[in-house]
Amino acid sequence: TERTYIMVKPDGVERGLVGEIIKRFENKGYQLVAIELFKAEKTILEEHYKDLSGRSFFPRLIAYMQSGPVVGMVWQGKEVVKTGRLLLGATNPLESAPGTIRGDFCVDVGQNLCHGSDSVQNAESEIKLWFPRGVTQWKRERLDSLLYE
Ligand code: GTP
Ligand code: MG
């Protein structure tokens, strides 16, 4: 089953939007298989965002991500990587469609509420990085056996 790493960023936790974000993934039909609230470590954040290490906003991004607790989650289901990013909306909230999480709840690219993996391969790396002890193996016997491929 496809899995993705979704993280509610410090602004999302501080604003009390954890439940709202979970609700949207649950409503869509995805399955939560790991969740933890914690303060992200600098070294892990630098690994997580290593592709952006050369960008001018990188130090601000790392500081923002350490400004309070985050909620890390692993969600699974059909095409959850791509569809998860559709639920989040475009990176810049001024361009995110209404109806998406970022489109409905924020305006600042430097405080855009949530993270979602951008490929299946990066999702698996991020899941290993943030949940090194692994996640719950869970097949919904009734629902998953009825899925159309
Ligand atoms: P994530 O799901 O958080 O990975 O966002 P993304 O995949 O939509 O965008 P990307 O990976 O390119 O950037 C990661 C994060 O860096 C974004 O979500 C923003 O929080 C931040 N970021 C990206 N571009 C800018 C920028 O131009 N300025 C600032 N301040 N932050 C940015
Ligand atoms: Mg990204």
Side-chain angles (χ1 to χ4, degrees):
T1 316
E2 189 168 304
R3 307 186 298 181
T4 193
Y5 180 66
I6 300 293
M7 180 160 49
V8 183
K9 297 179 178 181
D11 51 325
V13 176
E14 197 170 302
R15 291 176 55 195
L17 292 170
V18 175
E20 175 71 33
I21 292 168
I22 289 175
K23 185 176 177 184
R24 287 171 180 234
F25 278 81
E26 284 187 333
N27 283 354
K28 181 67 178 168
Y30 290 129
Q31 238 179 311
L32 183 62
V33 292
I35 181 164
E36 188 180 2
L37 180 142
F38 57 95
K39 283 197 172 164
E41 269 179 49
K42 187 158 194 263
T43 50
I44 310 224
L45 283 168
E46 286 169 346
E47 171 67 21
H48 174 85
Y49 281 127
K50 62 177 184 291
D51 293 348
L52 300 171
S53 63
R55 305 295 294 273
S56 59
F57 59 81
F58 186 73
R60 254 184 302 153
L61 173 60
I62 300 298
Y64 156 51
M65 292 300 296
Q66 289 185 282
S67 65
V70 297
V71 173
M73 300 181 274
V74 179
W75 287 88
Q76 76 179 20
K78 260 185 164 179
E79 301 200 16
V80 69
V81 171
K82 187 176 125 212
T83 309
R85 282 174 67 90
L86 289 176
L87 295 177
L88 301 194
T91 306
N92 182 347
L94 298 177
E95 287 160 14
S96 324
T100 66
I101 293 163
R102 289 166 175 164
D104 286 349
F105 294 106
C106 58
V107 291
D108 183 1
V109 71
Q111 297 179 76
N112 61 0
L113 294 177
C114 43
H115 160 82
S117 308
D118 62 9
S119 70
V120 171
Q121 193 184 323
N122 284 343
E124 287 302 320
S125 311
E126 291 170 9
I127 291 166
K128 275 203 198 78
L129 182 66
W130 293 104
F131 289 97
R133 280 170 295 186
V135 308
T136 303
Q137 302 297 314
W138 176 25
K139 188 173 179 329
R140 295 174 303 188
E141 291 302 340
R142 196 177 56 84
L143 283 170
D144 293 338
S145 63
L146 295 172
L147 277 182
Y148 291 92
E149 286 314 313

